[in-house]
Amino acid sequence: MLAPLYLVYVTVQHIRADDTRTRPQLFLQPPDEIRPHAELLVHQLERALGYQPFPLGLANEPVPGRCVYFLNGGEPSLLDALLGRDLGNLP
């Protein structure tokens, strides 16, 4: 998908005392402690590049006729197709 859109998201993963990790969690609305950093990023994306926010109302929009490897059947949403299942691989 090529469009002058951006999506700010946060992934959180905790490392336990025994060095194991929790599953990454994805937040489309940054938690309060990260929000100032996200707002700075948003300001830069909009001012410097002219990008607009990805409309979250489209996040669960079905994408008919597309195969997303981790879905065993079923129709993927737009964010399924764009982000994927393994949140640990998100940049």
Side-chain angles (χ1 to χ4, degrees), residues 5-7 10-11 13 18-19 26-27 30 34 39 46 53-54 63 66 68 75-76 80 84-85:
L5 301 174
Y6 67 88
L7 175 66
V10 175
T11 58
Q13 185 176 36
D18 64 358
D19 229 17
L26 175 73
F27 296 93
I34 298 171
E39 289 173 357
E46 291 178 1
F54 177 85
V63 183
R66 297 290 171 235
V68 175
E75 203 167 59
D80 288 333
R85 173 185 67 173

Side-chain angles (χ1 to χ4, degrees), residues 3-22:
L5 301 174
Y6 67 88
L7 175 66
V8 175
Y9 60 88
V10 175
T11 58
V12 175
Q13 185 176 36
H14 298 281
I15 302 171
R16 298 182 186 112
D18 64 358
D19 229 17
T20 60
R21 299 168 189 262
T22 61

Side-chain angles (χ1 to χ4, degrees), residues 3 8 11 47 61 72 78 81 85:
V8 175
T11 58
R47 189 177 59 101
E61 191 69 28
N72 295 323
L78 185 55
R85 173 185 67 173

